Amino acid sequence: MQVTLKIFRYDPEKDKKPHYDAFKMEAEPTDRVLDLLEKAKGYQDGTISFRRSCAHGVCGSDAMRINGMNRLACKTLVQDLGVNKITVEPILGLPILKDLIVDMEPFFDNYRAVTPYFINDEPAPAKERLQSPEDRERFDDTTKCILCGACTTSCPSFWANDQYLGPSAIVNAHRFIFDSRDKGAAERLAVLNDLFGVYRCHTIFNCTLACPREIQITQAIGEVKKAIATGKLD
Amino acid sequence: MALKRNVGLLEGLKYRGGGPMLAWLLHRISGLGILVFVGLHILAAFLTQQFGSDAGIFINIIYESWAFQIFIFFCVLFHAINGLRIIILDLWPALLEYQREAIWLEWFVFIPIFGLAVFVIFSGSLGG
Ligand code: FES
């Protein structure tokens, strides 16, 4: 089939304003949008810039707006879009460095703010810190995050203010808050109880719909909100 | 230089968030609608009672018109039902798994009640 790939273009050295370039090409319905981008870059215009690494939905580097919605280019098939005009644009709410590449630093600042690592100062047992399958199951969903930023940059609260920690940071806080072996819940909940913490979430669900790993993000945020309100982790 | 992060209103509205995002937008708009209605009401009463001015009567005529009545009923009913959905989901986060169904249910409740009200307002304005 013939498809037209419309790409958001911005070169900070030449352009004052962004514009769109259209590339016509042959594609299979089972091609991924990433394949089309590679084709356009390889055969038509070598200056097109975008991030990609694994090409298999693991590294999280190619989140972009595809036909108006955040997705991973490497996990989106042409046939899933159901149209042969495909528009790719950078994710919203982060400074655009070039074409589809955004500055992820504000996103990672928010990520770091929730101390997304294991905290437990008690001396470790000789072998390992044991955990029951049920306790492990409690936070299983939020371990799936690949930090692509599709959720955070789909959130109108984050668009309005990038100080809002955003869905992704809350998901990663949730992963440790509800881990029975971790002892840092109180300090993370304090960070999330802040003005720019969980209460900026207005349950708009864009994040849940955008997540390429199908994490129930709004539910995770809801659980954190409840933990803050009740002071209980259950 | 990098392009600023600002997300314009139009650009934000163009994001394809679907049903839940629409519900959130309508919640905001209906909230503003209620504010305008209550504001006009207070203003009209104030103008008529304090100054006996005709401006109050004029404002009364605006918000008693059938179009305004339908608009305001939409705002109040939608805001109430959507607010209820949000409260329920906030109190029982486990239900968030069924957020899609919750939105369907919301429209399922909203449409017949709103339809009935539009019918009553219309027949009232035409017949009486
Ligand atoms: S390129 Fe790694 S997630 Fe898409």
Side-chain angles (χ1 to χ4, degrees), chain A residues 10 67-68 70 93 96 158-159, chain B residues 1 3 5 15-17 100:
Chain A
Y10 172 71
N67 284 1
N70 285 1
I96 296 164
F158 181 79
W159 298 341
Chain B
M1 219 183 65
L3 272 189
R5 65 171 294 278
Y15 186 85
R16 293 203 4 228
R100 276 172 196 275

Side-chain angles (χ1 to χ4, degrees), chain A:
Chain A
M1 63 194 281
Q2 177 90 22
V3 296
T4 309
L5 184 66
K6 216 173 114 191
I7 305 179
F8 177 101
R9 303 300 305 272
Y10 172 71
D11 181 344
E13 284 168 14
K14 289 202 222 110
D15 304 336
K16 277 221 164 66
K17 273 201 206 146
H19 63 276
Y20 289 85
D21 282 343
F23 300 90
K24 283 195 178 11
M25 61 185 80
E26 266 309 307
E28 296 294 327
T30 48
D31 274 346
R32 302 163 304 170
V33 174
L34 182 64
D35 298 321
L36 307 187
L37 281 167
E38 300 276 19
K39 244 187 236 177
K41 184 176 171 75
Y43 297 103
Q44 304 190 33
D45 182 348
T47 65
I48 300 171
S49 306
F50 55 91
R51 287 197 184 102
R52 62 86 95 187
S53 180
C54 70
H56 287 83
V58 180
C59 71
S61 49
D62 62 343
M64 51 188 80
R65 248 181 316 153
I66 301 174
N67 284 1
M69 191 186 170
N70 285 1
R71 315 169 204 246
L72 290 182
C74 64
K75 274 186 92 170
T76 307
L77 302 185
V78 172
Q79 64 189 16
D80 294 344
L81 296 169
V83 285
N84 51 10
K85 260 191 100 178
I86 300 169
T87 308
V88 286
E89 296 161 296
I91 43 182
L92 289 168
L94 292 167
I96 296 164
L97 300 177
K98 191 177 181 204
D99 298 345
L100 302 171
I101 300 181
V102 296
D103 178 5
M104 296 290 283
E105 218 30 60
F107 170 83
F108 284 114
D109 283 344
N110 292 351
Y111 172 62
R112 282 186 283 265
V114 300
T115 53
Y117 41 79
F118 186 70
I119 298 177
N120 188 340
D121 293 334
E122 291 163 14
K127 273 193 182 158
E128 57 187 307
R129 295 179 199 268
L130 283 176
Q131 183 169 50
S132 71
E134 294 74 36
D135 283 347
R136 173 62 181 75
E137 182 62 31
R138 179 65 191 87
F139 59 91
D140 188 66
D141 199 35
T142 45
T143 60
K144 294 189 283 187
C145 177
I146 55 172
L147 292 172
C148 65
C151 58
T152 294
T153 58
S154 74
C155 175
S157 296
F158 181 79
W159 298 341
N161 193 329
D162 63 355
Q163 276 177 282
Y164 167 44
L165 292 171
S168 175
I170 303 172
V171 158
N172 284 284
H174 178 284
R175 184 253 168 269
F176 289 100
I177 290 171
F178 290 93
D179 184 336
S180 60
R181 301 162 297 183
D182 185 276
K183 297 279 177 263
E187 71 190 65
R188 287 191 198 96
L189 289 175
V191 172
L192 293 167
N193 195 12
D194 183 74
L195 185 58
F196 291 106
V198 283
Y199 293 112
R200 291 264 155 166
C201 165
H202 300 305
T203 54
I204 304 169
F205 292 101
N206 279 3
C207 54
T208 308
L209 299 181
C211 179
R213 310 282 305 192
E214 286 162 21
I215 300 173
Q216 293 294 322
I217 303 179
T218 316
Q219 186 174 2
I221 299 176
E223 289 171 0
V224 174
K225 280 180 186 165
K226 201 172 169 202
I228 292 175
T230 61
K232 279 195 284 239
L233 298 176
D234 50 27

Side-chain angles (χ1 to χ4, degrees), chain B residues 47-109:
Chain B
L47 289 176
T48 346
Q49 284 178 11
Q50 294 298 312
F51 306 109
S53 98
D54 287 346
I57 295 169
F58 179 69
I59 296 174
N60 262 330
I61 292 172
I62 295 180
Y63 69 68
E64 279 173 4
S65 70
W66 61 267
F68 203 94
Q69 293 286 312
I70 288 175
F71 168 71
I72 198 62
F73 190 74
F74 175 90
C75 290
V76 171
L77 188 68
F78 185 85
H79 208 80
I81 295 178
N82 193 54
L84 211 57
R85 171 182 68 97
I86 295 171
I87 292 172
I88 291 171
L89 294 181
D90 268 349
L91 288 179
W92 292 281
L95 292 177
L96 282 164
E97 218 178 306
Y98 306 103
Q99 54 101 355
R100 276 172 196 275
E101 289 78 359
I103 294 218
W104 282 117
L105 185 68
E106 177 179 339
W107 287 113
F108 197 73
V109 175

